[in-house]
Amino acid sequence: MDRRRLTSLHHYRFHDAWTLAAAPDAVYAVLEDPDGYPAWWPQVIGVTRTGDDSGTVRFRSFLPYDLAVTARQGRRDPAARTLEITLHGDLEGWARWTVLPRGRTGSTARFEQEVTVHKPLMRRLALPGRPLFLANHAWMMRGGRRGLAALLEGRAEGI
């Protein structure tokens, strides 16, 4: 197997768009608070700050393994409602949120991520496991969308 093919087995690009019944600024405010993620995103099982703009994050979705990364703030642009981080550890790369207005009162939270997997188990199972890894990511993103929507709905109702 050539080196490019092997590298591509460990490389992932993700794009998701969450339609939310909340104002873009309200969505951005939740997304810019990494300490709050475990409260609304079930698959984010831990966030520990290591500095003003960095921390460690642990994820676990449907499959029985955790991913641990060190995240460092990259771009943070409240005017454009864009947040970007770099990731190191089990995943190496970046992730970005962009929150856009949708209609008069809603928003779309666009998530983009490009990473290379370094977790040994995932690298060993790269070829046969890829469909499962993609499904695991999709499961995680659905959980996050549901959790964020519920949190924002509760805030709108004054809960």
Side-chain angles (χ1 to χ4, degrees):
M1 181 176 292
D2 76 38
R3 184 161 170 66
R4 281 186 311 211
R5 173 81 172 128
L6 187 60
T7 300
S8 69
L9 288 175
H10 303 125
H11 188 82
Y12 292 84
R13 286 186 180 175
F14 298 106
H15 302 276
D16 286 280
W18 299 353
T19 301
L20 300 160
D25 288 338
V27 174
Y28 182 84
V30 173
L31 293 176
E32 76 173 341
D33 175 21
D35 297 320
Y37 276 50
W40 59 267
W41 198 334
Q43 292 79 16
V44 177
I45 58 175
V47 173
T48 305
R49 290 254 186 187
T50 57
D52 290 340
D53 65 351
S54 62
T56 58
V57 184
R58 286 188 36 232
F59 310 93
R60 184 183 187 119
S61 192
F62 186 73
L63 294 177
Y65 62 83
D66 292 0
L67 293 174
V69 298
T70 298
R72 180 168 302 282
Q73 180 179 296
R75 181 176 176 204
R76 182 175 180 214
D77 185 344
R81 295 186 205 92
T82 299
L83 300 161
E84 188 170 311
I85 59 172
T86 58
L87 304 168
H88 302 281
D90 288 339
L91 304 175
E92 186 93 18
W94 58 270
R96 176 180 358 181
W97 285 109
T98 305
V99 182
L100 305 166
R102 185 171 190 278
R104 292 184 338 152
T105 60
S107 60
T108 299
R110 188 173 61 210
F111 178 80
E112 301 166 272
Q113 183 180 39
E114 186 168 341
V115 293
T116 299
V117 173
H118 290 289
K119 185 168 187 76
L121 173 66
M122 291 180 71
R123 290 181 72 85
R124 281 193 301 276
L125 298 175
L127 187 58
R130 191 172 182 89
L132 290 172
F133 300 153
L134 293 170
N136 198 53
H137 178 81
W139 179 274
M140 177 177 172
M141 296 306 290
R142 279 192 301 275
R145 187 197 56 76
R146 281 192 303 266
L148 181 57
L151 175 72
L152 293 165
E153 183 179 305
R155 286 184 177 188
E157 294 174 1
I159 296 174

